[in-house]
Amino acid sequence: MTIIIDPQGSGIAGNMLIGAFVDLGADADKLKEIMEKSAEPFGKVDVSFTKVTKHGIESTFCNVEMLEEKSSISYPNFISKIKELNLDDNVKETSVKVFERIAKAEAKIHGKTIETIHFHEVGASDAVADVIGSIYAYYSLGLDDEKVIGLPIAVGGGRVKTAHGIIPVPAPAVVEILKEAKIIGGPVDSELATPTGAAIYMELCDEIKEFIPQIKPEKTGYGAGMKDFDHPNVLRIIKSSDIIENDEIDVIETNIDHLTGEEIGYLFDKLLEAGARDVSITPIIMKKNRQGSLLKVISKKENREKIIESIFKETGSLGIRIAPNIHRGIAKREFEKKTFDIAGEEYEVTFKIGYVNGEVISKRPEYEDLKKIAEDSGLPLREIKEMIK
């Protein structure tokens, strides 16, 4: 399953995330209880959920009303209070990471250290309710086991009044938090992305893409924003039952005409050790009708230099061709272990299962497991393959 967080239309805020999670099935009554209790050390809040329609789209609106305000609090004291909350450890740890993102952004903007920063808006009780509520809902839906993809965030425009005075939109803290994301100005003269929403988004997303990848949508949740615009002020979260993933790779090639078969085999092993995803050797006819081999290596970008260095070192090649950032489709893969009785002994075998659109396209035992059984039992490898299906 893959989760798409889509803030392209109207940005992102904590209460919009919570509304979308409730729309996907999170327990609103439990969330109300958790959010109000968690916010109480920082100031009482009242949480309510209602169904609203935003320009034809029915969505869930999470309203967090502050009933009291307390003075600003230092980051260390703030985190101590969060850690004292009676919550699941995963919820607390992830929430702390969200607030750490906000604190680091605030510290950098104000020229302070994270230990000396004081929270104002982001430390208020409603922000605590938003963060704890979002993270609790995320875990309650089991989304921590799924891949979460974020789409570009509409950040709005204009100016907004804060505790630090009137500042431009997007707020400096939002820009700092979203440094690794993709943002879009507009489409209205208003603040659309809050520091709280931005920090939650960055913590939950495993990957950020420009467009929705190829997926099979299963369910969509809509979380409503407070303001009304000429377009639907909603955050969309899409839950897909399956996905065909895309990956960026480098294809590295060179021609070889002077290595022995043993040397090529050694090179093969060295490239896999260097991080190659796949290595192939193809017989070719080179200029002047010389017989040679085409070495082709598939690599992730981070392993490129190490692999190139290995090829130069082991082959003495004078030139290597690189095709960077090639996109490849990847079937969803899972691993399953099964136990088999072979010649009176029990062996565990791992199967690699490939899925496309929820259908199994391949189910193969791992070679190393079959090899071990063959060596231990003394039976031929081909017989082991027939016995394990």
Side-chain angles (χ1 to χ4, degrees), residues 69-336:
E69 295 186 33
K70 294 187 178 181
S71 58
S72 64
I73 182 172
S74 69
Y75 177 73
N77 288 338
F78 177 83
I79 292 301
S80 293
K81 288 189 175 185
I82 294 292
K83 289 181 177 180
E84 291 171 359
L85 295 174
N86 183 24
L87 294 169
D88 179 82
D89 286 343
N90 286 330
V91 175
K92 282 196 288 188
E93 288 170 11
T94 306
S95 297
V96 167
K97 290 178 182 178
V98 171
F99 283 114
E100 185 178 7
R101 288 179 181 272
I102 301 171
K104 285 181 176 179
E106 292 281 353
K108 183 170 182 180
I109 291 164
H110 298 303
K112 297 183 179 182
T113 65
I114 193 170
E115 289 76 19
T116 59
I117 195 74
H118 276 65
F119 279 178
H120 296 282
E121 286 93 337
V122 294
S125 55
D126 57 344
V128 174
D130 282 347
V131 173
I132 299 294
S134 297
I135 303 304
Y136 181 88
Y138 165 80
Y139 279 104
S140 73
L141 292 171
L143 303 185
D144 54 306
D145 292 326
E146 312 301 341
K147 181 173 183 178
V148 180
I149 295 175
L151 299 181
I153 301 177
V155 295
R159 298 183 301 170
V160 64
K161 186 176 182 180
T162 73
H164 303 292
I166 296 175
I167 60 176
V169 173
V174 171
V175 175
E176 188 65 29
I177 292 167
L178 296 177
K179 282 194 303 186
E180 303 299 321
K182 300 177 186 292
I183 65 175
I184 308 168
V188 292
D189 183 354
S190 182
E191 181 184 33
L192 294 184
T194 67
T196 303
I200 298 169
Y201 168 93
M202 293 301 293
E203 188 60 39
L204 297 188
C205 290
D206 299 305
E207 187 178 355
I208 294 171
K209 291 182 174 287
E210 188 171 357
F211 302 111
I212 296 176
Q214 185 175 346
I215 61 172
K216 189 176 181 181
E218 183 180 276
K219 190 174 182 181
T220 304
Y222 294 95
M226 181 178 294
K227 301 173 184 177
D228 289 314
F229 302 119
D230 290 336
H231 65 276
N233 184 20
V234 296
L235 171 75
R236 178 170 62 173
I237 298 181
I238 304 170
K239 183 169 74 170
S240 69
S241 58
D242 202 358
I243 183 171
I244 298 176
E245 298 182 3
N246 286 305
D247 194 15
E248 284 192 352
I249 56 168
D250 292 341
V251 177
I252 304 169
E253 295 181 344
T254 191
N255 294 346
I256 302 171
D257 66 352
H258 58 286
L259 298 184
T260 65
E262 291 88 350
E263 290 169 333
I264 290 176
Y266 180 76
L267 170 64
F268 194 105
D269 293 337
K270 295 298 288 185
L271 292 173
L272 290 176
E273 289 176 14
R277 309 291 288 185
D278 199 5
V279 181
S280 63
I281 311 267
T282 306
I284 58 172
I285 301 296
M286 301 172 63
K287 64 183 180 182
K288 298 182 181 179
N289 295 323
R290 295 198 311 270
Q291 289 189 335
S293 301
L294 170 64
L295 171 69
K296 181 178 289 188
V297 183
I298 295 176
S299 165
K300 301 290 281 184
K301 181 180 179 180
E302 57 266 26
N303 296 322
R304 180 196 300 168
E305 296 304 319
K306 193 190 245 185
I307 287 170
I308 291 172
E309 182 181 346
S310 292
I311 295 174
F312 276 128
K313 181 179 176 181
E314 299 295 339
T315 69
S317 174
L318 299 179
I320 296 174
R321 300 179 294 275
I322 305 170
N325 303 325
I326 301 296
H327 292 268
R328 64 171 178 172
I330 306 174
K332 182 179 179 182
R333 286 163 285 185
E334 293 181 356
F335 294 91
E336 178 182 277

Side-chain angles (χ1 to χ4, degrees), residues 9-20:
S10 285
I12 193 164
N15 71 316
M16 296 172 78
L17 279 160
I18 295 168

